[in-house]
PDB file of all heavy atoms in Angstrom:
ATOM      1  N   SER A 231      -9.090   3.347   3.241  1.00 85.00           N
ATOM      2  CA  SER A 231     -10.471   3.528   2.808  1.00 85.00           C
ATOM      3  C   SER A 231     -10.534   4.323   1.524  1.00 85.00           C
ATOM      4  O   SER A 231     -11.565   4.280   0.829  1.00 85.00           O
ATOM      5  CB  SER A 231     -11.285   4.201   3.911  1.00 85.00           C
ATOM      6  OG  SER A 231     -10.726   5.409   4.261  1.00 85.00           O
ATOM      7  N   VAL A 232      -9.485   5.052   1.155  1.00 82.00           N
ATOM      8  CA  VAL A 232      -9.503   5.764  -0.138  1.00 82.00           C
ATOM      9  C   VAL A 232      -8.622   5.106  -1.166  1.00 82.00           C
ATOM     10  O   VAL A 232      -8.602   5.527  -2.327  1.00 82.00           O
ATOM     11  CB  VAL A 232      -9.078   7.245   0.034  1.00 82.00           C
ATOM     12  CG1 VAL A 232      -9.977   7.949   0.997  1.00 82.00           C
ATOM     13  CG2 VAL A 232      -7.621   7.384   0.426  1.00 82.00           C
ATOM     14  N   SER A 233      -7.901   4.046  -0.795  1.00 77.00           N
ATOM     15  CA  SER A 233      -6.930   3.444  -1.727  1.00 77.00           C
ATOM     16  C   SER A 233      -7.557   2.399  -2.627  1.00 77.00           C
ATOM     17  O   SER A 233      -7.312   2.381  -3.803  1.00 77.00           O
ATOM     18  CB  SER A 233      -5.767   2.813  -0.928  1.00 77.00           C
ATOM     19  OG  SER A 233      -5.001   3.814  -0.329  1.00 77.00           O
ATOM     20  N   ARG A 234      -8.301   1.463  -2.067  1.00 71.00           N
ATOM     21  CA  ARG A 234      -8.920   0.364  -2.817  1.00 71.00           C
ATOM     22  C   ARG A 234      -7.920  -0.313  -3.739  1.00 71.00           C
ATOM     23  O   ARG A 234      -7.074  -1.043  -3.326  1.00 71.00           O
ATOM     24  CB  ARG A 234     -10.135   0.895  -3.580  1.00 71.00           C
ATOM     25  CG  ARG A 234     -11.226   1.360  -2.680  1.00 71.00           C
ATOM     26  CD  ARG A 234     -12.495   1.674  -3.381  1.00 71.00           C
ATOM     27  NE  ARG A 234     -13.368   2.451  -2.534  1.00 71.00           N
ATOM     28  CZ  ARG A 234     -14.461   3.050  -2.938  1.00 71.00           C
ATOM     29  NH1 ARG A 234     -14.786   2.968  -4.165  1.00 71.00           N
ATOM     30  NH2 ARG A 234     -15.212   3.723  -2.097  1.00 71.00           N
ATOM     31  N   GLY A 235      -8.021  -0.057  -5.065  1.00 72.00           N
ATOM     32  CA  GLY A 235      -7.204  -0.819  -6.014  1.00 72.00           C
ATOM     33  C   GLY A 235      -5.702  -0.611  -5.873  1.00 72.00           C
ATOM     34  O   GLY A 235      -4.898  -1.417  -6.366  1.00 72.00           O
ATOM     35  N   ILE A 236      -5.286   0.486  -5.251  1.00 79.00           N
ATOM     36  CA  ILE A 236      -3.852   0.750  -5.154  1.00 79.00           C
ATOM     37  C   ILE A 236      -3.359   0.652  -3.740  1.00 79.00           C
ATOM     38  O   ILE A 236      -2.398   1.278  -3.338  1.00 79.00           O
ATOM     39  CB  ILE A 236      -3.513   2.138  -5.732  1.00 79.00           C
ATOM     40  CG1 ILE A 236      -4.372   3.236  -5.061  1.00 79.00           C
ATOM     41  CG2 ILE A 236      -3.681   2.172  -7.222  1.00 79.00           C
ATOM     42  CD1 ILE A 236      -3.883   4.629  -5.359  1.00 79.00           C
ATOM     43  N   ILE A 237      -4.048  -0.196  -2.932  1.00 82.00           N
ATOM     44  CA  ILE A 237      -3.708  -0.269  -1.514  1.00 82.00           C
ATOM     45  C   ILE A 237      -2.280  -0.764  -1.319  1.00 82.00           C
ATOM     46  O   ILE A 237      -1.538  -0.270  -0.465  1.00 82.00           O
ATOM     47  CB  ILE A 237      -4.729  -1.100  -0.748  1.00 82.00           C
ATOM     48  CG1 ILE A 237      -4.382  -1.040   0.763  1.00 82.00           C
ATOM     49  CG2 ILE A 237      -4.766  -2.526  -1.213  1.00 82.00           C
ATOM     50  CD1 ILE A 237      -5.430  -1.606   1.643  1.00 82.00           C
ATOM     51  N   ARG A 238      -1.858  -1.762  -2.122  1.00 81.00           N
ATOM     52  CA  ARG A 238      -0.510  -2.283  -1.958  1.00 81.00           C
ATOM     53  C   ARG A 238       0.531  -1.239  -2.305  1.00 81.00           C
ATOM     54  O   ARG A 238       1.553  -1.082  -1.606  1.00 81.00           O
ATOM     55  CB  ARG A 238      -0.317  -3.526  -2.769  1.00 81.00           C
ATOM     56  CG  ARG A 238      -0.998  -4.747  -2.207  1.00 81.00           C
ATOM     57  CD  ARG A 238      -0.584  -6.009  -2.892  1.00 81.00           C
ATOM     58  NE  ARG A 238      -1.144  -7.197  -2.267  1.00 81.00           N
ATOM     59  CZ  ARG A 238      -2.358  -7.697  -2.527  1.00 81.00           C
ATOM     60  NH1 ARG A 238      -3.123  -7.120  -3.406  1.00 81.00           N
ATOM     61  NH2 ARG A 238      -2.785  -8.764  -1.877  1.00 81.00           N
ATOM     62  N   VAL A 239       0.270  -0.536  -3.392  1.00 82.00           N
ATOM     63  CA  VAL A 239       1.232   0.517  -3.796  1.00 82.00           C
ATOM     64  C   VAL A 239       1.267   1.607  -2.752  1.00 82.00           C
ATOM     65  O   VAL A 239       2.341   2.076  -2.359  1.00 82.00           O
ATOM     66  CB  VAL A 239       0.855   1.068  -5.176  1.00 82.00           C
ATOM     67  CG1 VAL A 239       1.704   2.251  -5.520  1.00 82.00           C
ATOM     68  CG2 VAL A 239       1.021  -0.008  -6.243  1.00 82.00           C
ATOM     69  N   ASN A 240       0.066   2.014  -2.264  1.00 86.00           N
ATOM     70  CA  ASN A 240       0.058   3.066  -1.260  1.00 86.00           C
ATOM     71  C   ASN A 240       0.739   2.596   0.026  1.00 86.00           C
ATOM     72  O   ASN A 240       1.383   3.392   0.725  1.00 86.00           O
ATOM     73  CB  ASN A 240      -1.387   3.493  -0.963  1.00 86.00           C
ATOM     74  CG  ASN A 240      -1.802   4.660  -1.849  1.00 86.00           C
ATOM     75  OD1 ASN A 240      -0.984   5.205  -2.601  1.00 86.00           O
ATOM     76  ND2 ASN A 240      -3.042   5.055  -1.756  1.00 86.00           N
ATOM     77  N   GLY A 241       0.568   1.341   0.378  1.00 87.00           N
ATOM     78  CA  GLY A 241       1.233   0.804   1.563  1.00 87.00           C
ATOM     79  C   GLY A 241       2.741   0.861   1.405  1.00 87.00           C
ATOM     80  O   GLY A 241       3.477   1.264   2.303  1.00 87.00           O
ATOM     81  N   ALA A 242       3.243   0.501   0.210  1.00 86.00           N
ATOM     82  CA  ALA A 242       4.676   0.560  -0.028  1.00 86.00           C
ATOM     83  C   ALA A 242       5.145   1.994   0.006  1.00 86.00           C
ATOM     84  O   ALA A 242       6.214   2.316   0.558  1.00 86.00           O
ATOM     85  CB  ALA A 242       5.011  -0.072  -1.383  1.00 86.00           C
ATOM     86  N   LEU A 243       4.366   2.908  -0.589  1.00 88.00           N
ATOM     87  CA  LEU A 243       4.753   4.331  -0.590  1.00 88.00           C
ATOM     88  C   LEU A 243       4.761   4.920   0.812  1.00 88.00           C
ATOM     89  O   LEU A 243       5.619   5.703   1.157  1.00 88.00           O
ATOM     90  CB  LEU A 243       3.808   5.142  -1.488  1.00 88.00           C
ATOM     91  CG  LEU A 243       3.952   4.873  -2.983  1.00 88.00           C
ATOM     92  CD1 LEU A 243       2.847   5.563  -3.757  1.00 88.00           C
ATOM     93  CD2 LEU A 243       5.310   5.360  -3.493  1.00 88.00           C
ATOM     94  N   LEU A 244       3.777   4.474   1.634  1.00 90.00           N
ATOM     95  CA  LEU A 244       3.729   4.952   3.005  1.00 90.00           C
ATOM     96  C   LEU A 244       4.979   4.489   3.763  1.00 90.00           C
ATOM     97  O   LEU A 244       5.592   5.268   4.496  1.00 90.00           O
ATOM     98  CB  LEU A 244       2.457   4.476   3.698  1.00 90.00           C
ATOM     99  CG  LEU A 244       2.305   4.931   5.162  1.00 90.00           C
ATOM    100  CD1 LEU A 244       2.139   6.448   5.246  1.00 90.00           C
ATOM    101  CD2 LEU A 244       1.116   4.264   5.820  1.00 90.00           C
ATOM    102  N   CYS A 245       5.340   3.230   3.576  1.00 90.00           N
ATOM    103  CA  CYS A 245       6.562   2.719   4.212  1.00 90.00           C
ATOM    104  C   CYS A 245       7.807   3.484   3.776  1.00 90.00           C
ATOM    105  O   CYS A 245       8.664   3.824   4.578  1.00 90.00           O
ATOM    106  CB  CYS A 245       6.745   1.215   3.929  1.00 90.00           C
ATOM    107  SG  CYS A 245       5.489   0.190   4.721  1.00 90.00           S
ATOM    108  N   LEU A 246       7.853   3.810   2.474  1.00 89.00           N
ATOM    109  CA  LEU A 246       8.997   4.593   1.946  1.00 89.00           C
ATOM    110  C   LEU A 246       9.040   5.972   2.610  1.00 89.00           C
ATOM    111  O   LEU A 246      10.092   6.461   3.023  1.00 89.00           O
ATOM    112  CB  LEU A 246       8.860   4.755   0.435  1.00 89.00           C
ATOM    113  CG  LEU A 246       9.500   3.697  -0.430  1.00 89.00           C
ATOM    114  CD1 LEU A 246       9.169   3.923  -1.877  1.00 89.00           C
ATOM    115  CD2 LEU A 246      10.995   3.620  -0.227  1.00 89.00           C
TER     116      LEU A 246
END
Side-chain angles (χ1 to χ4, degrees):
Chain A
S231 58
V232 301
S233 291
R234 295 189 194 170
I236 54 168
I237 184 169
R238 284 190 175 87
V239 172
N240 268 355
L243 288 172
L244 181 65
C245 291
L246 271 175

